[in-house]
Amino acid sequence: MASRAHTLLSILSDNSASCEISYQNFLKQFPTNTVQLQMCEHMAILLECAVLLPSSASRMLCLYLLSSSFFDDPNKTAHPFQLLASRLLYPNAAGAIPITSCEKLFLLFLLTNKQQLSQVSPSGFLSEYERTRPAVPPPDPSLIAQFPPQPQPALAVPSLLDGPDATSESDTFLTAADIARAALQTDDAHITLAPTWVRPAPPPMPLLPGEAELQWIDPPLSTHGLQLAPVADPIESEFASVMAKATRGPLTPTQHTAAAHFLRTNPKAIALSGMGVDRLAGLIEHNLNLAVDWFLRIRGTPALADYLAALIRMGVTVNSLEVVNLLTTQSALTNEFLNQYVAKCISLCEEAKDNKYAQSRSVRLVCVFLTSLIRSRLYNANDKYLEIQAFCIEFSRITEANALYRLLQALDTSRTTPTTTTSGNTQGQGQ
């Protein structure tokens, strides 16, 4: 704090530089807003007590720094130094701070036409005033509206008072700079010693009509007690734990049986499972039969669409294809979903060009999967007939793709044969 006070007084003592240069130096020495506010509070103290800053040029520089920091900021309609500006503007108002005519003229220029002062030094302004002695105009109405006179403040004694004049012969003589440094190093320099405002006791509340005396109302005392949370059902807790394990690794036969039974019979199983869409892949890879039970449990609920979309986004794996096959066997999937799933599988196989081994393995799995569904009449391939046929031709080097292609040709022949026979019968009848 002492070093900051010394720096501030050094800036204020340099009256030969222009006001704007001094302001830029002020910002350089005190870069943060918090420190700038503290320094502005110190300058307000120096302005209130003339003995701390007797130089008129230094006081005008104080006014310029305060103005640049707060007075002319349009975003600060109410700032901590608005009262200070009012006390400086009106010498006859209550709580006014006495300033010279030159300082008053300088303040009016700051608040109305500051640009004229940016390149002027405080000492230069003071010399020009001493030479011309212009009249000081009263504040205009707009300035009065922005900085209105303040009402009579409460009676108080400021904590900083001008001391008696010291003579040069005194051994205890202190300069104004010494007093200022001592004042700025205290946190209570801006506090006033105000008396305590004594108020009389309020009169008793008047009685309501029909009451003989006032009744004292005792508010009920609040009693606080512990409220224990309900004990969770151990079976439900065990089910949630088993479902969490099922997404991370295979379950034991006992755990799988218990979880599947709870999933099929308990109406709260979906909420208790903690199964999210992001955990579906883990459940399918580690416990595909339980994943099938999960899909059967959520069949008919709004959540089914999200889980089917996640199933489509999964890669071509043995478990994911087996889950779709088992669900199709139990009529849990529509032909529209199967069309989307088959299209996704074909697309994934065609995109896996970088790894021929992985591509061949995926093609074999998809072909076996489609062959099983078509032979079992669980999937109507008419909508994707051309796409599946092109897929088989593209991967004709793979045995399973050739087998699927022959199956498609056989189905196509069985569809066209009745039509040909019917046409021949019709021609024979005509003859």
Side-chain angles (χ1 to χ4, degrees):
M1 181 65 75
S3 61
R4 291 177 182 174
H6 180 74
T7 304
L8 177 62
L9 292 175
S10 299
I11 295 174
L12 297 178
S13 62
D14 185 9
N15 303 320
S16 59
S18 66
C19 294
E20 187 62 26
I21 292 178
S22 298
Y23 177 60
Q24 295 302 325
N25 188 23
F26 175 79
L27 296 180
K28 180 180 178 181
Q29 297 296 333
F30 310 111
T32 63
N33 292 334
T34 303
V35 178
Q36 289 175 17
L37 178 60
Q38 292 175 355
M39 295 302 105
C40 288
E41 290 177 348
H42 294 340
M43 288 189 288
I45 295 171
L46 295 177
L47 288 173
E48 289 185 12
C49 192
V51 70
L52 298 181
L53 199 63
S55 172
S56 183
S58 297
R59 292 170 62 83
M60 287 189 289
L61 184 55
C62 262
L63 293 174
Y64 187 89
L65 297 180
L66 283 171
S67 172
S68 300
S69 301
F70 287 93
F71 293 163
D72 55 356
D73 190 343
N75 297 324
K76 297 175 182 176
T77 55
H79 50 72
F81 302 106
Q82 188 171 8
L83 177 60
L84 176 66
S86 301
R87 295 173 63 190
L88 292 169
L89 277 175
Y90 310 107
N92 299 324
I97 299 175
I99 58 176
T100 64
S101 299
C102 179
E103 295 168 2
K104 176 69 175 294
L105 184 63
F106 187 86
L107 179 60
L108 290 175
F109 270 108
L110 280 178
L111 300 179
T112 56
N113 196 359
K114 180 185 173 184
Q115 296 298 328
Q116 295 184 2
L117 299 178
S118 60
Q119 304 303 323
V120 178
S121 65
S123 58
F125 185 88
L126 181 61
S127 301
E128 182 65 19
Y129 177 82
E130 294 292 341
R131 188 179 63 84
T132 58
R133 292 284 178 175
V136 181
D140 56 32
S142 62
L143 200 59
I144 295 176
Q146 185 179 1
F147 300 97
Q150 300 299 317
Q152 176 69 34
L155 297 177
V157 180
S159 57
L160 293 177
L161 296 175
D162 294 349
D165 294 336
T167 61
S168 58
E169 291 82 5
S170 175
D171 295 335
T172 60
F173 175 73
L174 295 176
T175 64
D178 295 332
I179 301 175
R181 290 191 185 94
L184 296 181
Q185 293 180 36
T186 63
D187 295 333
D188 302 328
H190 63 284
I191 299 177
T192 57
L193 307 177
T196 303
W197 184 261
V198 180
R199 296 174 177 84
M205 187 175 66
L207 296 176
L208 296 176
E211 289 184 344
E213 60 181 21
L214 293 177
Q215 295 182 1
W216 183 262
I217 301 176
D218 293 318
L221 297 178
S222 299
T223 56
H224 302 280
L226 295 176
Q227 185 176 2
L228 300 178
V231 179
D233 188 345
I235 300 179
E236 296 178 354
S237 301
E238 179 65 19
F239 170 72
S241 176
V242 169
M243 289 298 294
K245 293 178 182 177
T247 60
R248 299 191 297 267
L251 299 178
T252 63
T254 303
Q255 290 176 330
H256 177 271
T257 303
H261 176 74
F262 190 92
L263 197 60
R264 290 191 296 266
T265 58
N266 195 299
K268 298 188 296 182
I270 297 178
L272 294 173
S273 65
M275 270 292 300
V277 177
D278 55 333
R279 304 174 68 179
L280 178 63
L283 182 64
I284 290 176
E285 292 304 319
H286 298 298
N287 298 275
L288 69 90
N289 290 323
L290 190 59
V292 173
D293 292 333
W294 169 259
F295 274 104
L296 295 176
R297 182 65 178 82
I298 65 174
R299 182 170 52 178
T301 65
L304 178 63
D306 295 334
Y307 287 92
L308 291 179
L311 182 58
I312 293 176
R313 291 194 298 267
M314 288 184 61
V316 178
T317 63
V318 175
N319 284 14
S320 62
L321 292 172
E322 182 63 19
V323 166
V324 176
N325 185 33
L326 293 175
L327 290 175
T328 307
T329 304
Q330 302 191 42
S331 302
L333 300 177
T334 63
N335 206 73
E336 179 183 0
F337 168 79
L338 291 176
N339 287 334
Q340 297 177 6
Y341 186 76
V342 169
K344 182 65 175 179
C345 290
I346 292 176
S347 174
L348 291 175
C349 291
E350 293 174 347
E351 292 174 357
K353 298 178 181 180
D354 297 335
N355 191 337
K356 293 297 184 180
Y357 173 77
Q359 186 183 47
S360 300
R361 182 176 182 274
S362 298
V363 170
R364 290 190 179 92
L365 291 176
V366 172
C367 291
V368 172
F369 167 72
L370 289 174
T371 302
S372 174
L373 292 183
I374 294 173
R375 288 187 183 278
S376 303
R377 300 183 182 276
L378 298 175
Y379 173 53
N380 185 2
N382 291 336
D383 295 336
K384 294 293 179 181
Y385 180 82
L386 296 179
E387 293 182 24
I388 298 175
Q389 189 180 48
F391 172 73
C392 294
I393 294 173
E394 180 180 0
F395 298 100
S396 58
R397 68 181 186 277
I398 299 176
T399 305
E400 288 79 4
N402 287 324
L404 178 59
Y405 182 79
R406 289 193 297 271
L407 177 61
L408 292 176
Q409 293 298 318
L411 291 177
D412 185 56
T413 302
S414 64
R415 286 199 307 269
T416 58
T417 299
T419 304
T420 305
T421 305
T422 303
S423 177
N425 294 337
T426 303
Q427 291 177 1
Q429 292 175 3
Q431 293 175 354

